[in-house]
């Protein structure tokens, strides 16, 4: 396999193992274990009231570096997509915020995580949720059908980040937005120096710098890009909140939910 294929398979194997660990009654570990789940990663980054409202397995499977819902500002009736949805914690919380008139999609490439997420959905009794199998570089949804894209410490794991940014832009409606938590490196660090601080599966080596992230989103067409560090996860590496919008001046695109001519919630396809 190519280096990219090897990395993607390592990510899949690492997170499949995490899902099986949770399904067996344990708590997930991030990647190969080079990053510990402590105050910097995991369910502790969510409010206690949010955790208490969900199945224990969804909370135990949380491997993120932040809480994207804290900045996504989801509204009633919106359609939200979580990239790399894992055990489903952000999807289930999103579904509560957008209400029965909205829809929350979760996308994951790992069969074991999807099985865990579906089990958590059944336990939560949530109906306005759909989990999809696929990669974040090729999102199995039609263009211009999502109002908000969220993701929690997953884009750093991608082997083709420009493709991820392009896909986010494609599925968002005009005026749609992203609210992402991710690991981001200080601009002073080279890729080799990032790799010294942690491995790829452990959410460190694959992280973009602040400048690379900003320019990558702009190259995909996003505007109003904001990247705000929240806490350090390693020397020169930070959990950060990433915000951006798809400009409303894009011609020929669909309006947001609630506007005349909007696409009904529930439009989807499964890869």
């Amino acid at each position: 396999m190519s280096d990219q294929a090897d990395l993607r398979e390592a990510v899949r194997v690492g997170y499949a193992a995490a899902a099986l660990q949770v399904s067996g009654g344990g708590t997930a570990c991030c990647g190969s274990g080079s990053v510990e789940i402590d105050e910097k990663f995991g369910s502790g980054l969510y409010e206690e009231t949010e955790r208490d409202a969900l199945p224990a397995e969804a909370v135990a499977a949380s491997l993120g570096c932040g809480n994207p819902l804290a900045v996504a500002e989801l509204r009633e009736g919106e359609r939200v997509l979580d990239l790399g949805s894992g055990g489903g914690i952000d999807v289930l919380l999103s579904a509560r915020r957008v209400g029965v008139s909205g829809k929350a999609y979760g996308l994951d490439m790992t069969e074991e995580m999807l099985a865990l997420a579906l089990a958590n959905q059944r336990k939560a009794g949530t109906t306005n949720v759909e989990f999809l199998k696929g990669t974040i570089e090729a999102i199995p949804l039609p263009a211009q059908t999502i109002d908000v894209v969220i993701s929690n410490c997953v884009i750093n794991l991608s082997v083709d980040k420009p493709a991820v940014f392009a896909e986010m832009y494609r599925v968002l409606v005009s005026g749609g937005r992203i609210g992402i938590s991710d690991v981001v490196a200080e601009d002073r660090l080279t890729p080799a120096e990032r790799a010294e601080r942690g491995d790829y599966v452990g959410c460190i080596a694959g992280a973009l710098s602040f400048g690379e992230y900003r320019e990558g989103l702009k190259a995909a067409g996003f505007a109003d890009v904001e990247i705000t560090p929240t806490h350090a996860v390693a020397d020169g590496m930070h959990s950060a909140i990433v915000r951006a919008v798809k400009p409303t001046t894009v011609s020929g695109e669909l309006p947001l939910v609630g506007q005349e001519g909007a696409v009904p919630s529930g439009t989807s396809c499964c890869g």
Side-chain angles (χ1 to χ4, degrees):
M1 291 191 293
S2 68
D3 289 344
Q4 283 194 345
D6 288 341
L7 284 173
R8 177 175 287 174
E9 178 62 11
V11 170
R12 188 197 66 78
V13 169
Y15 288 88
L20 292 174
Q21 186 170 348
V22 171
S23 297
T27 301
C29 296
C30 190
S32 63
S34 62
V35 174
E36 297 294 331
I37 298 299
D38 53 19
E39 73 279 359
K40 301 173 183 176
F41 290 86
S43 61
L45 297 169
Y46 294 81
E47 295 291 338
E48 184 176 355
T49 53
E50 292 178 314
R51 300 195 302 269
D52 290 347
L54 297 175
E57 292 83 358
V59 176
S62 175
L63 298 168
C65 57
N67 180 354
L69 299 185
V71 296
E73 298 178 355
L74 300 180
R75 298 186 285 266
E76 188 84 15
E78 289 188 316
R79 298 152 297 178
V80 57
L81 168 65
D82 180 21
L83 301 182
S85 49
I89 184 170
D90 291 319
V91 178
L92 297 176
L93 289 172
S94 295
R96 292 166 62 90
R97 296 195 181 189
V98 300
V100 294
S101 61
K103 185 75 174 280
Y105 296 94
L107 174 64
D108 207 284
M109 69 174 182
T110 310
E111 291 277 3
E112 293 83 355
M113 277 295 185
L114 288 168
L116 178 60
L118 287 168
N120 288 331
Q121 179 189 356
R122 289 191 293 270
K123 291 176 183 176
T126 308
T127 58
N128 59 333
V129 160
E130 185 173 346
F131 288 101
L132 309 171
K133 183 182 179 183
T135 68
I136 63 175
E137 298 88 359
I139 299 171
L141 284 171
Q144 306 163 32
T145 54
I146 296 296
D147 300 297
V148 189
V149 173
I150 63 172
S151 186
N152 197 347
C153 207
V154 171
I155 293 177
N156 68 80
L157 297 170
S158 172
V159 297
D160 189 353
K161 296 173 181 65
V164 178
F165 297 154
E167 279 291 272
M168 291 194 301
Y169 190 91
R170 181 185 66 83
V171 299
L172 281 170
V173 297
S174 177
R177 63 195 187 277
I178 65 172
I180 292 169
S181 293
D182 210 359
V183 173
V184 184
E186 293 178 10
D187 291 330
R188 63 181 174 85
L189 296 182
T190 66
E193 289 171 330
R194 299 169 212 173
E196 292 172 355
R197 288 154 171 76
D199 65 13
Y200 204 98
V201 183
C203 308
I204 298 296
L208 295 174
S209 70
F210 283 89
E212 290 166 344
Y213 221 121
R214 186 177 297 106
E215 292 307 311
L217 288 171
K218 289 181 178 179
F222 285 99
D224 300 333
V225 178
E226 298 178 5
I227 306 176
T228 306
T230 58
H231 58 276
V233 298
D235 178 28
M237 311 285 292
H238 304 267
S239 174
I241 292 295
V242 182
R243 299 180 181 91
V245 299
K246 183 173 181 176
T248 57
T249 55
V250 178
S251 62
E253 300 225 330
L254 301 175
L256 291 169
V257 166
Q259 296 181 1
E260 184 179 353
V263 175
S265 63
T267 302
S268 70
C269 62
C270 187

